[in-house]
Amino acid sequence: HFYGSRLPSIPEQLQWVHQIDIMVGMTGAGLAWSLAMRPGSYLVMIVPETTASSYETSYHDRQAIRVGLGLTVVFNDVKYNANVPRLWAAVNTTIQAWREREKRQPPTFPATGA
């Protein structure tokens, strides 16, 4: 990890998340971190394909809109047979939308390591 041997504090984590341009994550409680993102950033939410037919707007969808985030929802069987091309297509579409919206350079992703 990139903080050395200590875990970052909650304020440090919030500050780090606030710098993210695009967050990709599986639907669930972990997406609550998206509330710390800047307006104009994008969230790519991965939803299990098995729930696609019954999917309704989730808490995270509504919160993303309230805080001014762009949102991409992608349905994918991430547990057993992930459709990686579908996931990358969703991420690439989101990057293009983010670039158009903000007329920015390509997003930077924080370095992670073991």
Side-chain angles (χ1 to χ4, degrees):
H1 50 83
F2 50 106
Y3 277 96
S5 60
R6 72 172 185 83
L7 293 175
S9 67
I10 297 295
E12 287 172 321
Q13 293 176 56
L14 289 169
Q15 183 179 20
W16 182 73
V17 171
H18 189 71
Q19 297 172 22
I20 294 174
D21 298 316
I22 298 172
M23 179 188 286
V24 179
M26 184 72 181
T27 186
L31 291 184
W33 285 102
S34 65
L35 294 173
M37 295 172 70
R38 293 182 321 277
S41 300
Y42 275 78
L43 173 64
V44 178
M45 183 169 61
I46 303 167
V47 177
E49 200 165 50
T50 54
T51 63
S53 62
S54 63
Y55 179 78
E56 296 180 21
T57 303
S58 74
Y59 169 80
H60 298 296
D61 296 27
R62 293 188 303 275
Q63 286 303 102
I65 292 166
R66 282 188 191 122
V67 298
L69 303 180
L71 176 69
T72 300
V73 177
V74 59
F75 296 98
N76 207 317
D77 182 1
V78 294
K79 188 171 183 180
Y80 299 109
N81 189 23
N83 184 331
V84 175
R86 185 186 302 166
L87 289 172
W88 276 117
V91 170
N92 285 324
T93 298
T94 302
I95 290 171
Q96 291 303 317
W98 177 82
R99 283 183 185 160
E100 285 299 314
R101 183 174 177 180
E102 300 298 324
K103 299 292 185 195
R104 297 183 185 187
Q105 297 298 313
T108 57
F109 298 95
T112 59

